[in-house]
Amino acid sequence: MSLFVETLRGKRGPRPPVWLMRQAGRYLPEYRALREKNSMLQMVMTPELACEVTLQPLRRFPLDAGIIFADILTPLIGMGANLEFKKGEGPVIDNPVRSAADVAKLRLPPPSENTPYTLNAIRLVVKELAEKTPLIGFSGAPFTLSCYLIEGQSPGDLQRTKAMMVGDAATWHALQEKLVTLCVEYLVAQVEAGCKALQVFDSWLGYLGPREYAQFVEPYLSRVISEVRARVDVPVVFFATGVAGLFPQLSKLDAHAFGVDWRISLTQAHKLLGRNATLQGNLDPQLLAGPWEYIERSAREILAEGAEIPAHVFNLGHGVLPHTPPENVQRLVELVHSR
Ligand code: 1CP
């Protein structure tokens, strides 16, 4: 088993493994070159392109894991969402889900029909990597997927999402049921295609308070993780940002590991979780675009904190930003490896 997978399972290796969220992306000139000729969706939906883009950062840097190139929103297309990535605007869904009738219309095709392109891309990447580097599969969590489906664009202040939650709870719960099935089937299919670990992204969770989390989100999120674990034997990472106030509740999730953003220290996150779990993080991605001396000092401090918790996977607190110099990524990965 790999250092990355072992560490997620709570076993401390000779050094922490390192990978970076959005390690494939616009900060790499070879990504931009392909992106000039293809839309975001073409890249995700063409297995050879998705495979190539997944491998790009792994060719450059000695990363300890890859992550399949896809997006949390692409599985929504097969459910019936008219998803587009618009230049400068980000994702747009022009038929948002606002009513019980809209939820009833959402389809649930099996992953082999819904996202064959991502499953085929995983098979290609796994063949290329030949057991050298584990590949991470991922899904958005039901809550964050709901935010995009309901708002129809980057969620902003979640006005419509929260209005549905508290004003039309029956519709909210019906939507969550469908999204739990989507997430569980999609995650399991990615493992069957060759992924060795899974990450669940709940990027917008930090906008909720503890009571609404408990009532409208937790039952579904905890089912996604425990149902996946009952079906496939790979470690699961749960990632959200701005959720320090929710850590005591998140601790009850059956995840092996938790992503931690830069707003809280690893030490504090461990205390708030109050149980043995691997923590993944947590350099501020904005800093990675700055001077090396500062990056180095911050990374060493994070590594020192990581040495005091049950197990640590080095990562950023959120995704690599497009203006990050690839040179900084190179030096950061080398620094972690030199531990
Ligand atoms: O223009 C481009 O080239 C597209 C930029 C881009 C990329 C590289 C988008 C649009 N998605 C992706 C790939 C992606 N998205 C990966 C690939 C694997 C990797 O290397 O890490 C992953 C894991 C995601 C996950 C994702 N997409 C999340 C969860 C993580 C996070 O950042 O919080 C979210 C919220 C999205 C939605 C999304 N997709 C793309 C954009 C610009 C956005 C966010 C828009 C918003 O603010 O709502």
Side-chain angles (χ1 to χ4, degrees):
M1 227 184 273
S2 64
L3 176 68
F4 173 65
V5 170
E6 292 273 6
T7 307
L8 288 183
R9 288 189 180 280
K11 242 179 144 185
R12 227 168 220 302
R15 62 164 174 86
V18 52
W19 71 281
L20 305 180
M21 289 184 281
R22 292 273 172 105
Q23 62 193 25
R26 278 175 295 177
Y27 75 105
L28 290 178
E30 58 270 35
Y31 175 91
R32 291 197 300 271
L34 281 179
R35 191 60 180 80
E36 256 168 40
K37 289 178 256 151
N38 302 278
S39 71
M40 170 70 191
L41 286 179
Q42 277 168 336
M43 304 246 291
V44 173
M45 293 183 163
T46 312
E48 291 73 20
L49 283 176
C51 171
E52 169 59 23
V53 170
T54 301
L55 295 174
Q56 283 177 346
L58 300 175
R59 290 197 194 105
R60 267 185 188 251
F61 318 117
L63 293 153
D64 295 300
I67 180 162
I68 189 64
F69 186 78
D71 194 86
I72 60 163
L73 304 177
T74 42
L76 302 178
I77 299 170
M79 292 187 95
N82 300 329
L83 172 71
E84 263 188 90
F85 287 98
K86 293 207 172 150
K87 228 185 154 77
E89 271 181 78
V92 177
I93 293 171
D94 76 9
N95 57 342
V97 172
R98 302 273 165 86
S99 67
D102 294 336
V103 173
K105 267 188 285 182
L106 290 173
R107 299 185 295 269
L108 276 173
S112 58
E113 285 168 35
N114 190 14
T115 45
Y117 45 86
T118 295
L119 301 177
N120 287 331
I122 290 170
R123 293 183 189 104
L124 291 178
V125 172
V126 167
K127 210 154 106 199
E128 287 279 329
L129 291 176
E131 305 280 315
K132 280 198 296 282
T133 310
L135 182 68
I136 305 165
F138 68 89
S139 167
F143 172 72
T144 286
L145 295 177
S146 303
C147 293
Y148 284 97
L149 277 174
I150 295 168
E151 305 291 338
Q153 59 188 27
S154 188
D157 58 7
L158 270 60
Q159 184 184 331
R160 289 176 188 274
T161 306
K162 291 184 181 180
M164 182 191 287
M165 240 182 209
V166 301
D168 187 1
T171 300
W172 173 263
H173 290 296
L175 176 58
Q176 301 317 297
E177 286 294 342
K178 284 198 164 171
L179 290 173
V180 168
T181 305
L182 176 85
C183 294
V184 171
E185 298 301 328
Y186 184 45
L187 289 165
V188 168
Q190 291 178 74
V191 175
E192 287 168 350
C195 289
K196 295 287 191 288
L198 293 170
Q199 181 155 320
V200 176
F201 288 90
D202 216 348
S203 306
W204 290 84
L205 192 57
Y207 285 74
L208 281 192
R211 282 183 299 276
E212 287 66 41
Y213 169 74
Q215 191 174 343
F216 297 104
V217 174
E218 184 176 33
Y220 304 104
L221 178 58
S222 65
R223 263 175 58 199
V224 168
I225 296 174
S226 53
E227 287 178 24
V228 166
R229 286 199 57 182
R231 285 174 54 186
V232 287
D233 186 22
V234 300
V236 179
V237 185
F238 177 74
F239 173 81
T241 64
V243 289
L246 297 178
F247 270 145
Q249 287 161 286
L250 294 174
S251 176
K252 289 188 273 172
L253 297 172
D254 202 13
H256 297 78
F258 292 85
V260 179
D261 76 8
W262 65 92
R263 296 173 182 90
I264 177 173
S265 68
L266 294 178
T267 311
Q268 186 70 16
H270 173 64
K271 277 189 199 141
L272 287 171
L273 276 171
R275 72 164 170 95
N276 265 3
T278 300
L279 298 186
Q280 177 176 280
N282 68 341
L283 183 71
D284 183 342
Q286 211 59 259
L287 299 182
L288 189 58
W292 171 250
E293 293 65 36
Y294 201 90
I295 300 168
E296 181 177 10
R297 188 168 4 121
S298 311
R300 287 191 192 281
E301 285 166 8
I302 290 166
L303 287 165
E305 287 193 26
E308 302 298 321
I309 59 174
H312 177 217
V313 173
F314 196 98
N315 205 311
L316 304 181
H318 207 158
V320 181
L321 296 165
H323 63 289
T324 308
E327 167 77 7
N328 290 1
V329 174
Q330 177 78 38
R331 295 178 81 174
L332 177 68
V333 174
E334 282 170 6
L335 175 74
V336 179
H337 276 232
S338 71
R339 288 289 285 201

